[in-house]
Amino acid sequence: MQWILPDGASTFAGDIDFLYYVILVITGIAFLVVEVGLVWFAIKYRARPGRRATYTHGSLRAELVWTAIPAVTVVVLGLMSGGVWNHVKGRHSAPAEALPYRVLAKQFEWHVTHPGPDGQLDTPDDFTIRNQLHMPVDRAVVVHLTAEDVIHSFFVPAFRVKQDAVPGMEIPVWFEATKAGRYELACAELCGLGHYRMGAEVMVHAADEFGSWTAAQAAARTQ
Ligand SMILES: [Cu+2]
């Protein structure tokens, strides 16, 4: 279903979208209740000639209720989100067999180092492409993300993945695409005058096609 969010194309999309819509519905209901109450009270208790103000010391019961309901709600949302957060961003959450990439963000482009046919980084068959990340479908990949100059942010909306790229740090960010196709990769951190052109693409290939594409790229670069 596509409503507000773009179609999801990673294994994270289901969990993240569910939480997003749960929070949207809860905050939407709270918004309506508060705004309708505000307008209702403003009209009902407006100033009228001869009407005297009433003094009150409040109501303990009302205060307990309006404190307890939001408290329980945010604790439940926190518990629901915690597991998803840990799965997506936990320190050791990337699967061990994930295909490794290195992405260097700089003003104003992405340098994507692919692991090459051997599936490993820092070997002679690695190759680097500007503004394109090619990956196989249905396989976890882990991007070792860093930045050369200022803070950028690696954002693939269809995958529900967003991670700051910070100079001097190497941050792993993992995901697994569920549908072959072409997806937008954008910089989500205002990083300078050319920020608007830090658009790139993620190409998700079918598994066999990815193998032949990788082999062709590696061969072309060693000639
Ligand atoms: Cu940027």
Side-chain angles (χ1 to χ4, degrees):
M1 184 188 72
Q2 180 169 359
W3 186 59
I4 302 179
L5 298 171
D7 279 340
S10 82
T11 55
F12 301 152
D15 286 344
I16 302 239
D17 294 8
F18 174 74
L19 280 171
Y20 179 85
Y21 288 124
V22 166
I23 292 169
L24 184 68
V25 167
I26 291 172
T27 53
I29 290 170
F31 174 79
L32 284 178
V33 168
V34 169
E35 294 307 310
V36 168
L38 178 69
V39 172
W40 172 260
F41 275 53
I43 294 169
K44 184 163 188 224
Y45 298 108
R46 67 189 182 276
R48 282 196 177 136
R51 178 188 266 182
R52 299 187 55 187
T54 313
Y55 292 93
T56 173
H57 290 287
S59 157
L60 180 63
R61 198 206 297 177
E63 286 177 26
L64 285 175
V65 169
W66 78 50
T67 306
I69 291 175
V72 169
T73 306
V74 294
V75 168
V76 169
L77 286 176
L79 292 173
M80 286 169 67
S81 312
V84 178
W85 175 267
N86 211 34
H87 176 59
V88 176
K89 297 255 186 178
R91 187 162 295 199
H92 303 291
S93 62
E97 73 284 3
L99 194 58
Y101 289 74
R102 184 170 294 118
V103 169
L104 174 73
K106 57 181 282 191
Q107 290 172 321
F108 295 97
E109 58 192 25
W110 305 91
H111 289 195
V112 184
T113 302
H114 295 64
D118 68 355
Q120 294 187 346
L121 282 177
D122 302 317
T123 51
D125 67 351
D126 296 358
F127 53 86
T128 301
I129 307 184
R130 250 180 92 247
N131 290 341
Q132 282 189 355
L133 190 160
H134 292 256
M135 60 180 282
V137 72
D138 294 328
R139 174 152 183 209
V141 306
V142 57
V143 169
H144 299 280
L145 183 65
T146 188
E148 184 174 288
D149 34 39
V150 299
I151 297 176
H152 302 270
S153 179
F154 180 90
F155 182 30
V156 186
F159 295 172
R160 312 297 190 256
V161 164
K162 188 188 270 177
Q163 174 61 56
D164 274 6
V166 183
M169 289 179 78
E170 190 182 278
I171 302 172
V173 44
W174 81 277
F175 41 90
E176 180 176 332
T178 52
K179 275 185 252 177
R182 181 172 155 196
Y183 303 99
E184 183 186 21
L185 159 63
C187 180
E189 182 71 56
L190 181 57
C191 57
L193 281 177
H195 168 65
Y196 70 93
R197 51 189 163 84
M198 271 188 88
E201 56 193 15
V202 178
M203 308 288 290
V204 177
H205 299 256
D208 48 345
E209 187 212 334
F210 179 73
S212 49
W213 179 86
T214 303
Q217 288 290 318
R221 277 154 214 268
T222 49
Q223 271 161 13

